[in-house]
Every structure is written in structure tokens, then in C-alpha cells.
Amino acid sequence: MKLIGLTGGIATGKSTVSRLLAEKNIPIIDADKIARDIVEPGRKANQLIRQHFGDEVFLPDGYIDRPKLGQIIFQDPEKRKILNQCTHPYVRLEMLKEAFLHWLKGTDIVIFDVPLLIESKLDRFMSTNVVIYCSDVLQLQRLRKRDNLSEEQALQRIKAQMPMSEKVAKADIVLDNSSNIQQLETQVKNMIEKLRPSRLTWLFEYAGPPAALILLSVLIKQYSPSLLSIIGDSIASLK
């Protein structure tokens, strides 16, 4: 199974690319969705956040007040680090579970949609890493419009992330989202054609590990008695 990492900067269009891939029936493991699920009331990450940030970042129903928490972590790198420590282990565990289920189904390619793919070092486990890019000016415009932010607030959120130039430098594939949706769709289509493994490659990667384990167990069962006998004779001859 081929693991593809998908990331970008805030408001560069990662969610749009993820949607286009889903429309092509490519499985998506969405880190943002998982991150929302694991902080629901009663979950361990929810409890850890309350311990570190207090009741003031929670709504009366036990859910997190996301705008209030976001304001805190974007202003304070240390607070952001603490939040990541509260959530990242649980996000990774759920991602691993989903990936394993896709492998059991015989899926040939899976997209890991992860905003902090490179920062969290998850890019090292991917076959290919894809970065969604747009110009700095366009990124700022999109973010202000999307989240109804002042220029200062938007810049603060952009600067809180790894610079886009560093992400692009670590990418295997860069999708430029500075134009229109039609151009982006074309880039996504070409990327899928490039990344999708051949049937033979898929069969080898899917069936190979289980077949190797079965073969190993058969060999051990068949040859272990004679192997033990040889070891025993060798030990006896040394006495």
C-alpha cells in the first residue's frame, strides 16, 4: 500500500485538494477530523487539555471553545507545543488504525492529509510527500476572507507555521494553487496517474508480507527438528 503525505500552509488549498482526491475515490486519512474527534468530551485528550489550559477554553457542554483556544496557542509557541503534546499521540494512534484497516481491505493508495506532516516528522514514513502551495499574497487574502481576520491576526497565524519555502523544499510533488480550480484539478489528475501503483506492485506489497510470514512459519515447522538436532550434536562434540 502506497502512503502519500498531503500538506500545505494555512489557506493554501489543502482541503480543496483533499476533496478532489476523495471525488476520485482515493481514501483519505484526515488528521484534522481525527483531531476534532479525539478531543470530544470524555476523551483522554479532552481531559489533558482541561488540565493544562483550564475551564476557560471549554464551552458549557464540555466541548472545546476553538476560537478561544486558537487565540491562545497562536500567540504563545510554548502553549502550542503543550497542546500538540496533549493531542498528537492520540491522533497518530487513530491514523495508524485507519491505515491498517485500509491495508486489510487491499487498498492500493492512501492519502494522509496532515497539516503538520513535516513538522511532526511523519513525512519520513510516506512513500511520497505532496505540498500545496500558493503565493504569500494570495495566502494572506484567502485566510483573511475565510476566517474573517484582520491582517495582523492572519499574519500571526501564518507566521506560527513552518515557512512555505521550507515545506516546498521537502516536497516530492508541489501542487501550485495560485490559479483557478480547473488548473488545480488538472494537477491532481496528473498526480494520481503518476502515484497510483501498478497492479503487480500492489499485489507484491499487499500479499508479500503475509506470504513471507506464512513461508517462514512453514520452514521453521519443517526444519526446526533437524536444526535442533544439528545444534545438539555440535554442543555434544564440544564436551
Side-chain angles (χ1 to χ4, degrees):
M1 184 172 74
K2 207 166 188 178
L3 309 181
I4 309 301
L6 177 68
T7 192
I10 187 170
T12 59
K14 181 176 61 62
S15 297
T16 302
V17 171
S18 187
R19 175 178 58 79
L20 293 173
L21 289 166
E23 289 174 359
K24 300 290 185 182
N25 297 317
I26 306 291
I28 309 288
I29 296 178
D30 188 339
D32 275 343
K33 180 181 181 304
I34 293 172
R36 291 192 295 270
D37 292 342
I38 58 104
V39 297
E40 288 184 348
R43 304 290 293 268
K44 181 63 177 176
N46 180 288
Q47 298 167 11
L48 289 172
I49 292 170
R50 189 181 292 274
Q51 288 175 18
H52 288 283
F53 293 89
D55 296 336
E56 60 268 21
V57 299
F58 284 84
L59 299 170
D61 59 5
Y63 283 87
I64 291 172
D65 187 335
R66 292 184 177 277
K68 187 172 289 185
L69 182 60
Q71 188 176 8
I72 292 171
I73 64 168
F74 282 116
Q75 291 177 346
D76 189 336
E78 285 303 313
K79 294 283 188 181
R80 188 161 62 248
K81 185 177 179 181
I82 291 171
L83 178 64
N84 290 340
Q85 290 171 346
C86 292
T87 58
H88 282 189
Y90 301 99
V91 172
R92 290 181 178 184
L93 179 60
E94 292 302 318
M95 290 173 66
L96 183 61
K97 288 179 183 178
E98 289 190 24
F100 182 66
L101 289 175
H102 281 299
W103 182 77
L104 288 178
K105 294 176 185 177
T107 304
D108 59 350
I109 184 171
V110 173
I111 305 293
F112 284 75
D113 182 342
V114 187
L116 301 180
L117 180 79
I118 297 170
E119 295 90 329
S120 61
K121 311 297 183 186
L122 289 176
D123 59 310
R124 295 179 296 181
F125 302 101
M126 303 294 139
S127 306
T128 304
N129 291 292
V130 180
V131 169
I132 316 305
Y133 163 85
C134 72
S135 68
D136 294 341
V137 173
L138 194 55
Q139 182 184 19
L140 180 60
Q141 291 175 349
R142 287 173 175 172
L143 180 57
R144 291 189 64 188
K145 182 179 180 180
R146 188 191 74 182
D147 294 352
N148 193 27
L149 300 174
S150 68
E151 183 172 341
E152 182 182 357
Q153 289 172 321
L155 285 171
Q156 186 181 63
R157 299 197 175 201
I158 291 172
K159 289 177 180 177
Q161 297 189 334
M162 176 185 285
M164 278 304 302
S165 58
E166 291 184 26
K167 291 190 176 186
V168 168
K170 292 179 178 292
D172 299 301
I173 296 175
V174 177
L175 301 183
D176 189 349
N177 189 27
S178 299
S179 186
N180 54 47
I181 187 66
Q182 289 77 22
Q183 290 288 334
L184 188 61
E185 286 176 344
T186 299
Q187 292 180 71
V188 170
K189 179 176 178 292
N190 292 338
M191 181 185 72
I192 293 172
E193 292 175 355
K194 179 179 179 180
L195 293 178
R196 192 181 290 278
S198 67
R199 200 66 185 169
L200 183 62
T201 300
W202 169 83
L203 184 63
F204 177 77
E205 291 180 347
Y206 176 63
L213 287 174
I214 293 170
L215 179 61
L216 182 61
S217 63
V218 169
L219 290 173
I220 290 172
K221 186 176 180 180
Q222 182 172 351
Y223 293 105
S224 58
S226 56
L227 194 61
L228 289 173
S229 177
I230 292 171
I231 293 171
D233 292 342
S234 299
I235 293 171
S237 65
L238 293 174
K239 293 181 179 179

